Structure formats: C-alpha cells, structure tokens
Amino acid sequence: MRAYHTPLDLVRSSELEVPAICTRPDLLARASQWFQDRFPGEILYAVKANPSPWVIDGLYASGLRWFDVASMAEIEMVASRCPQAKLAFLHPIKSRAAIRRAYHDYGVRVFAIDCAEELQKIIEETGGARDLTLIVRLAVSNDHSVLPLTGKFGVSAHEAPALIHQARAVADQLGVCFHVGSQCMQPDAFRQAMDLSSRLIAQAGVTIDIIDVGGGFPSLYPGLTPPPLQAYLDTITQAFENMLVLENATLWCEPGRALVADAESVLVRIDLRKEDALYLNDGAFGTLFDASHSDWPFPMRAVHADGRLATGRTVPFRLYGPTCDSEDVLAGRFDLPATLKTGDYIEIGLIGAYGTALTTRFNGCGQYDYVCVSDTPFASAFDLEQRPATITPMHANGPGPSGAR
Ligand SMILES: Cc1ncc(COP(=O)(O)O)c(C=O)c1O
C-alpha cells in the first residue's frame, strides 16, 4: 500500500481515477488497544463490519485473537490470514454444510443458536460433539440504537429459558448473547439487556459460562455524540457483577463499528458540478451505502484539485453517486465550500465500519485504490482532543439517520 502523510498529499501526487480508501492503521491499533486495555473480558471482532485484509491483519497484530464470523467465506478468509486466530460462528442461522466445515475443517467450536432446530443441526453436523461452546442469542430491546437490528434474530423471553436449558444438556460451555442494535447511544441499554439475560438464565435454572454483550458500541458521527465509551464499559462491568452467574463466568463483547469506523475514509472526486449538484465517483452502491440508505451523517472535508484544503463560505450541495440509479444520492444537503468545482475532491470520514464492506460492482463501479495515511482529521470517540483545531468537518444538514438496514 502506498503511504502518504495525508490524503491531501495523495491528491497532490497523482491522478486518482478511482475513489481512494485512506486507511489509518494507527487509529485501528488505537481502538483495538483501547478495548484490550479496558474491557474486562474477551473481545471478538465482528468481521462483517470490515473484512478488509489490512483490518484483519492489523487487529491480529494489535493483539486481538478472537473473531466473530458470520459465514464460511469469513471463516476461510480469517483462517487463511491468521491461522492462530480463534473463530466464533455467531450467526444464529447457518447452513448444514457451513456448520460441518467450520467444525471439522476449521476447528470452530463456538456457535450461536436462537432456536431448537438450529441446535439440532449443530448436534447432527458435528456428530454429537461434546466440546461445543453454544451461545444462545436472546431478543432484546434495540430502542436506544440508531440502527436497530431487531426482529430477525434472537429467541423471545418467553421461549429462551427452555432453549437455554436444552443447550446446557449438550454444551461443554454455555453462553447467552444479544445485540442492543448498532450505534447504541445509551450505555443503559446494555444493563437492561443484561438484567433480562440474568432473569432468563434464572428461569432456565442452569449455570452459564459466558455472557456475550455483542456489538453496538458507538462511534462519533456528526450530530450523534454518544456518552464516553468508558461509560459503556463501566455499565457493563457493573451489570455483570449483579448477574446471577457463576464466579468464573466470563464476559465477551463483539464490537464491529467502534473498532473500525475511524480507520478508513474515502477520497472521492467531483466528476461534475452542475449548479448545486456534485456528481461523485462513489456513492450509495459503494462505500456510502449508509449515507444514502440510512441517512447516516458522515464528517467531510473538501480538497481542491491541487491538494489545498477547500475553506471559506459554504453553500448547501446535493451529492450524487456515479451509477445511473436515481437512488444513488446521499440523503440531505451538505454544506461545502462554494468554490468547489469539477475535478475537486471530498474526503468522507468514518467509513471504516460498514463502508467498504457494503460496496457493490453495480455499473462497473466498486474499484478502489487503497493507500495508507497517518493524519487524524475527524473527531474520534477514542480521543476527541486529537482533532486539529483548523479543520471543521462538514456534514449533511438533512434529517438524521432512521430505520434499520
Ligand atoms: C452478531 C453480531 N455481532 C456483532 C455485530 C457488530 O455490531 P456493531 O458494528 O454495531 O458493533 C453485529 C452487527 O450486525 C452482529 O450481527
């Protein structure tokens, strides 16, 4: 990967034909270290948030050993890059072949379930294995998350005690997990989910080895300022102490967004300015899926074609992506410098989570140039103070995010 101090140097140095993913390994390592220093348990990276090889390698190099994988493709990819990595197959619904191959070919022992039929599939495909770690996924409230994940997975409170009981009979290690929804804005959401878990475990009348609080840890997007991340860990630690579990029960978490959001930005070119419309070379079918489909507010800074930061009076712009689909437009209006013109660039920050992971090849797009940079232009949940005072990230002035992915 080519290295530059900032994306501005990249603009100065060469002709950029495709959008550039500006990777920031230092910020990835900082996020990983932060969790490793403070989370009182095991951290499993949710690979789906960003499966890029440089992210997997970077997290492993930073000391993270557990990966939450959702498919055979993720298992194969992580295992091929980091053979010593420990894998947990935490998608509650898996094909029989995936269960078989994960267990027999890749040594996966940790599987999530949210119904008796999935439990039965695991028993059958592993040949009645006695060394399984089964994690029962509970349905919990997602009321405090910006991107709720409810309705699809998770056993109801009504059915959970029976499933926990059933799983205990075959599991070597037994856990419960949940997901409070992505970009959770209230630490108390974790406490509520843990209190519910505790009640359901008591009703099941069995011992539990693992409490997995899932993902949902927030990043710092414009207009979406969560409480400090430490407050989430304090709440979880306190709630864990109050849970009806054994002394030696362990705590797990599965962060995706919080670990990787800061670690990538995308540098897009303005292929045409038509009055207040900017036509970009990336959009809804590329790294900006969430900016268009969920109305997600990303920080931005504008860069002139000669590599100078664009500043001065701002006016509202519409931002269109490169494909012919009329839905390839970012939600809202964006206050950007009035001087912007065809051939200039916009750097859009915090696309490390669910950005590159969601790109498609629609219209022949979806090709990116990966470079490495070391500046820190956008505010981060990990260290607000590091943000240089000279740069004011701009963002949409439309409505805030809404709805599930
Ligand atoms: C099972 C599971 N764990 C963890 C995550 C990561 O969530 P987040 O990126 O909100 O931390 C997800 C996201 O969908 C998930 O489905």
Side-chain angles (χ1 to χ4, degrees), residues 46 48 68 90 137 149 179 182-183 215-217 254-257 354:
K48 61 179 75 76
D68 153 26
L90 294 181
R137 169 108 171 229
L149 303 168
H179 200 302
S182 209
Q183 186 73 12
F217 299 94
E254 309 160 23
R257 180 181 301 284
Y354 309 104

Side-chain angles (χ1 to χ4, degrees), residues 143-184:
D143 286 354
H144 298 295
S145 74
V146 180
L147 220 161
L149 303 168
T150 40
K152 191 164 177 184
F153 300 127
V155 60
S156 69
H158 176 62
E159 292 171 313
L163 184 61
I164 294 170
H165 199 270
Q166 231 180 324
R168 179 75 277 178
V170 290
D172 173 34
Q173 300 270 300
L174 181 66
V176 295
C177 70
F178 52 77
H179 200 302
V180 294
S182 209
Q183 186 73 12
C184 174

Side-chain angles (χ1 to χ4, degrees), residues 109-373:
R109 294 294 178 267
V110 185
F111 294 89
I113 56 167
D114 72 356
C115 64
E117 192 177 342
E118 186 73 5
L119 174 60
Q120 193 56 32
K121 277 160 62 184
I122 294 171
I123 294 169
E124 288 170 14
E125 295 307 327
T126 60
R130 306 303 303 171
D131 58 355
L132 294 171
T133 295
L134 297 177
I135 312 286
V136 177
R137 169 108 171 229
L138 307 173
V140 300
S141 161
N142 276 205
D143 286 354
H144 298 295
S145 74
V146 180
L147 220 161
L149 303 168
T150 40
K152 191 164 177 184
F153 300 127
V155 60
S156 69
H158 176 62
E159 292 171 313
L163 184 61
I164 294 170
H165 199 270
Q166 231 180 324
R168 179 75 277 178
V170 290
D172 173 34
Q173 300 270 300
L174 181 66
V176 295
C177 70
F178 52 77
H179 200 302
V180 294
S182 209
Q183 186 73 12
C184 174
M185 301 297 282
Q186 286 291 341
D188 202 53
F190 285 90
R191 186 193 56 74
Q192 289 170 23
M194 292 170 83
D195 287 354
L196 173 67
S197 305
S198 198
R199 286 199 297 279
L200 298 177
I201 293 164
Q203 285 175 30
V206 299
T207 56
I208 287 279
D209 308 290
I210 298 155
I211 301 295
D212 176 356
V213 300
F217 299 94
S219 293
L220 188 62
Y221 298 91
L224 281 181
T225 305
L229 279 170
Q230 187 60 52
Y232 289 76
L233 268 48
D234 292 346
T235 301
I236 290 167
T237 307
Q238 184 62 50
F240 187 52
E241 279 169 19
N242 296 338
M243 285 186 82
L244 301 170
V245 289
L246 294 176
E247 280 275 297
N248 59 354
T250 52
L251 194 58
W252 289 8
C253 68
E254 309 160 23
R257 180 181 301 284
L259 280 176
V260 293
D262 295 344
E264 288 179 352
S265 62
V266 63
L267 187 65
V268 298
R269 191 184 50 225
I270 301 167
D271 279 338
L272 192 87
R273 174 174 176 178
K274 201 191 273 180
E275 297 171 358
D276 70 342
L278 302 180
Y279 292 80
L280 311 176
N281 63 348
D282 200 23
F285 298 91
T287 60
L288 304 173
F289 182 98
D290 273 345
S292 37
H293 291 89
S294 329
D295 206 353
W296 203 272
F298 289 94
M300 298 183 181
R301 59 176 176 168
V303 185
H304 287 303
D306 60 5
R308 272 181 306 117
L309 210 54
T311 52
R313 186 176 66 87
T314 61
V315 291
F317 283 101
R318 291 177 196 281
L319 300 183
Y320 291 99
T323 72
C324 60
D325 195 306
S326 56
E327 290 196 6
D328 194 0
V329 56
L330 272 57
R333 299 278 190 128
F334 296 79
D335 292 328
L336 292 162
T339 52
L340 279 183
K341 57 183 188 307
T342 302
D344 288 341
Y345 292 85
I346 300 172
E347 185 187 8
I348 301 164
L350 275 79
I351 57 99
Y354 309 104
T356 44
L358 292 174
T359 59
T360 75
R361 301 305 301 261
F362 185 45
N363 274 226
C365 303
Q367 287 182 32
Y368 298 91
D369 197 8
Y370 274 75
V371 301
C372 176
V373 296

Side-chain angles (χ1 to χ4, degrees), residues 1 50-59 77 81-82 264 370:
M1 230 188 265
N50 189 330
S52 301
W54 85 269
V55 169
I56 303 301
D57 295 354
L59 289 174
M77 190 270 294
R81 306 199 70 80
C82 311
E264 288 179 352
Y370 274 75

